[in-house]
């Protein structure tokens, strides 16, 4: 069965923000900015793990939390199989990324 794209309502977005913040605290990742939108998420953080591993961990935790809260059917995929990953190269790039995420924050 093919599902339509995921659309996060207010309750979903609230849970996702808490889920991402909790995982960052648990893993001791420095979370700089977070924006959960209707159909995607922006996260700016610092961590020693590989970016693909970080994205996977964030998606896995959020999916588990959404399904445990019965906000998403158990058999429904939540995320696309991909997602953009940007490595911050310098202070100007960090500031631009930070401003971008904050502009998308609720």
């Amino acid at each position: 069965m093919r599902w339509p794209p995921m659309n996060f309502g207010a309750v979903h977005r609230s849970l996702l923000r808490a889920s991402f913040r909790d995982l960052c605290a648990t893993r001791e990742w420095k979370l700089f900015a977070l924006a959960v939108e209707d159909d995607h998420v922006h996260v700016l953080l610092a961590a020693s793990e590989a970016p693909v591993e970080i994205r996977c961990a964030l998606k896995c935790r959020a999916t588990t939390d959404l399904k445990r809260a019965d906000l998403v059917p158990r058999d429904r995929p939540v995320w696309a199989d991909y997602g953009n990953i940007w490595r911050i190269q310098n202070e100007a790039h960090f500031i631009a990324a930070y401003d971008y995420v904050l502009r998308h924050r609720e």
Side-chain angles (χ1 to χ4, degrees):
M1 171 190 257
R2 182 153 171 95
W3 294 88
M6 189 71 197
N7 189 355
F8 301 124
V11 174
H12 297 91
R13 291 190 304 271
S14 178
L15 185 142
L16 289 171
R17 283 190 293 274
S19 182
F20 288 133
R21 287 186 180 116
D22 180 63
L23 182 61
C24 287
T26 299
R27 297 273 183 108
E28 297 182 348
W29 296 340
K30 174 65 175 162
L31 179 63
F32 294 104
L34 171 64
V36 180
E37 300 190 43
D38 291 344
D39 60 353
H40 66 282
V41 176
H42 296 282
V43 181
L44 179 61
L45 60 81
S48 59
E49 290 85 351
V52 172
E53 292 175 17
I54 294 167
R55 180 182 62 203
C56 181
L58 289 167
K59 286 180 173 184
C60 287
R61 170 66 70 85
T63 300
T64 298
D65 291 349
L66 286 167
K67 291 182 178 186
R68 281 187 181 153
D70 289 325
L71 293 175
V72 176
R74 299 262 179 218
D75 60 339
R76 190 205 200 290
V78 177
W79 309 101
D81 292 334
Y82 56 89
N84 292 330
I85 295 175
W86 297 79
R87 286 186 178 265
I88 304 301
Q89 302 299 322
N90 54 48
E91 185 176 354
H93 192 199
F94 174 84
I95 291 168
Y98 184 80
D99 289 345
Y100 181 84
V101 173
L102 291 185
R103 279 196 312 271
H104 289 84
R105 196 172 58 182
E106 292 180 280

